[in-house]
Amino acid sequence: MVSVGRLSIYKQTFEVIMIYIHFIINPVSGGGKHHLSEFFIKQFFEPEKYKIKADYTLNKKHAIELAKKAASKHPDIIVACGEDGTINEVASCLLGTNIKLGIIPVGSGNGLASHLNIPRDLKKSLEIIKNGNKILIDAGKINQNYFFSNTGIGIDAMIIKKYEHSSGRKLYSYIKAAILSSFEYRTQ
């Protein structure tokens, strides 16, 4: 005798959780020599595990607009790819959110990245992000401006302003800005 019946089987399904990482790239940081691109970045992240998006800044303060827009899409991480100014603009937008900040130091100074021991090597800094290495850092605020590494008032602020307006982002430009500021600065 042959009998036919049905058997219900519970099948375990695994939901793949994508990690969404949004990169904000300053293409002129470090003189624009880094050639960091979304295509290059995607080579380090498996497409079945990571959603990778990238935006490129067009001018100073543009990273703020891009970071706010990216944050509205609820990524897990927003990565600032640039120098201290770009990193500050992105980080300022992430305060009070659950979005983590990643840093790819491609600028000339990279003070915060150096302090945090983030390597300048693109592949090594991408590995840090991929591995999920994280720490908490403090933020300060003067008037409406946040800072994450250091800040200055007086002559050091004048030096940075002159350096930002110099023709090149080299050590020579920084030294020149410091010397000129030392002759011009007057306490108030």
Side-chain angles (χ1 to χ4, degrees):
M1 175 169 152
V2 176
S3 140
V4 177
R6 293 196 155 215
L7 175 64
S8 293
I9 299 176
Y10 287 95
K11 177 174 96 170
Q12 185 175 8
T13 59
F14 295 97
E15 181 181 346
V16 177
I17 298 175
M18 298 284 285
I19 297 172
Y20 173 19
I21 306 175
H22 199 108
F23 290 79
I24 297 177
I25 302 168
N26 183 339
V28 298
S29 282
K33 297 175 185 171
H34 57 79
H35 305 293
L36 186 61
S37 68
E38 185 172 355
F39 176 78
F40 177 83
I41 292 166
K42 283 184 174 182
Q43 294 176 47
F44 294 89
F45 296 93
E46 300 86 359
E48 57 278 351
K49 293 182 182 177
Y50 297 93
K51 176 182 175 181
I52 303 296
K53 295 289 178 192
D55 288 315
Y56 300 85
T57 62
L58 300 175
N59 49 52
K60 192 172 184 175
K61 304 288 184 193
H62 190 216
I64 295 169
E65 177 186 332
L66 296 175
K68 287 179 180 178
K69 184 177 174 186
S72 72
K73 297 175 185 174
H74 308 290
D76 298 290
I77 305 166
I78 295 180
V79 181
C81 307
E83 47 202 307
D84 290 328
T86 304
I87 294 164
N88 184 281
E89 289 178 20
V90 173
S92 295
C93 297
L94 301 183
L95 288 167
T97 73
N98 291 323
I99 302 169
K100 295 171 201 74
L101 170 69
I103 297 173
I104 304 289
V106 293
S108 53
N110 304 309
L112 179 59
S114 294
H115 178 72
L116 298 173
N117 295 317
I118 298 172
R120 288 180 182 246
D121 180 88
L122 293 177
K123 293 176 185 178
K124 289 179 181 176
S125 56
L126 284 167
E127 278 299 316
I128 288 172
I129 293 164
K130 186 175 180 180
N131 293 335
N133 300 359
K134 60 185 176 185
I135 60 167
L136 289 174
I137 63 170
D138 293 321
K141 186 176 183 181
I142 297 176
N143 297 326
Q144 301 306 311
N145 300 307
Y146 289 101
F147 60 93
F148 301 91
S149 177
N150 54 36
T151 191
I153 56 173
I155 192 167
D156 48 343
M158 180 185 266
I159 293 168
I160 295 302
K161 191 171 196 173
K162 287 189 175 300
Y163 176 70
E164 286 178 346
H165 295 323
S166 66
S167 58
R169 293 291 186 121
K170 304 278 185 206
L171 179 60
Y172 168 77
S173 299
Y174 188 81
I175 293 169
K176 182 179 174 184
I179 292 170
L180 289 173
S181 296
S182 69
F183 289 113
E184 294 176 24
Y185 182 75
R186 302 289 174 257
T187 59
Q188 296 179 14

